[in-house]
Every structure is written in C-alpha cells, then in structure tokens.
Amino acid sequence: MKTLITGGKSSQALKLLKAFTENQVLLADYGETPSFSSAQYQFISLGDRNEDTTAHNLLSVCLDQEADCLLPLYIFELEAVVKSLILFEEFNIHVLLPDLATFPLYPLSGASNTQSWAVYNRGELIYASAPELQPGGNTVGLNGVFYIDQTPEGIKRTLFTVS
C-alpha cells in the first residue's frame, strides 16, 4: 500500500512514519521538498499552495503517484478533503479523516498531550504511540490520526494536524 502524507517536511509527519512501516510512504509538501528518499519513504512536492484547488491538487497527486491512501495534515486541507471524500473514494483512494458527519466532533487544536497519539483506520486501532496507551472508548467508524488525552470526563481526541 502506498500512503501520501501531507506536511511532509514537518516533524509531525516524520513522527507518523512509525505507524506506516508496512507501507510505502510519500511525504508531500508545498513548494520545494528535499530530494532525499529511503526504502520506506520519499519526498514529493505538491507544487505551490493554492487553497482554492486543494482537494483537486491532492487527488491529482494521489493518482499520479498511485497512492492508495491519503493522510492530510495541514488544517487548510482538512475541510476541502472532507467535503470531497466521495470523489477520493470513486478513485479508490482511502482518506484517513473522519467523515463529514463526524468531522465537527473532533477539535483541530487544544490537545494538552501531544506525546500520546493513535492512528485509526475504519474503527480499528492500527498504531498507538506508546504501548501503555489504551485509547478505549467508542472507536466505531473512527478514521484518522488523533492526539489522545485521558481526562476525568473520559477520552478526548483531537485531530493530529500541522499548522
């Protein structure tokens, strides 16, 4: 499986490599990107940032690079991609984000614990940043990467983003 992760030059994107060791990873970012690559990942450019065509640009790059999965990390990308999920699905590209109905339930900032994070794919926990992390609670349909805060009120999930 080939996964495209945006915000590729950020430390957050590099941190996510641990969760995708079984995949070939494309670390994508806007503007110039490093020409370095390894067996597991390579950097690619998304061209110039244009917020009016974000979803179209990401879809085109996924198709050109034959990516099966997209993980957008920039805040400005999230709404555009969530609104276009059906289009990505038509091209068999799985997007690791909550769907349009549940997207508003997850804040984009305010995580107090940015060391604990987890990756869910269609409700299944596929990676937790620490073995002792037990991100229980209702995970049915949960999709994406989240910071996990254990609070007295229960588990709080904040979308994992790059500003």
Side-chain angles (χ1 to χ4, degrees):
M1 177 181 263
K2 192 182 281 191
T3 301
L4 188 142
I5 301 173
T6 68
K9 295 184 281 189
S10 69
S11 61
Q12 291 96 323
L14 293 171
K15 189 185 325 186
L16 290 175
L17 289 173
K18 296 178 211 171
F20 296 96
T21 57
E22 301 296 316
N23 300 6
Q24 181 183 356
V25 176
L26 301 171
L27 294 173
D29 219 322
Y30 297 90
E32 291 185 30
T33 57
S35 58
F36 176 80
S37 64
S38 73
Q40 186 193 0
Y41 67 92
Q42 70 182 58
F43 287 99
I44 62 168
S45 176
L46 296 171
D48 293 331
R49 179 175 163 174
N50 181 346
E51 294 184 26
D52 294 331
T53 61
T54 298
H56 173 75
N57 184 39
L58 290 173
L59 178 62
S60 295
V61 171
C62 285
L63 292 172
D64 290 347
Q65 297 293 325
E66 300 177 351
D68 307 302
C69 184
L70 170 64
L71 176 54
L73 294 182
Y74 283 115
I75 291 174
F76 74 89
E77 296 169 330
L78 301 182
E79 187 176 348
V81 172
V82 166
K83 288 180 178 178
S84 302
L85 284 177
I86 292 173
L87 184 59
F88 283 89
E89 289 171 6
E90 287 177 0
F91 287 96
N92 295 316
I93 299 168
H94 177 57
V95 179
L96 280 171
L97 280 179
D99 63 29
L100 194 56
T102 60
F103 183 74
L105 301 177
Y106 304 105
L108 300 179
S109 62
S112 62
N113 181 0
T114 58
Q115 298 304 311
S116 297
W117 54 276
V119 181
Y120 295 89
N121 187 0
R122 298 179 176 117
E124 179 186 346
L125 175 67
I126 60 170
Y127 183 84
S129 62
E132 66 275 2
L133 182 62
Q134 297 297 320
N138 184 11
T139 63
V140 174
L142 200 55
N143 207 32
V145 183
F146 300 88
Y147 293 115
I148 306 293
D149 282 326
Q150 302 277 359
T151 68
E153 296 82 33
I155 295 171
K156 176 185 172 194
R157 292 182 180 90
T158 306
L159 275 169
F160 189 107
T161 59
V162 174
S163 14

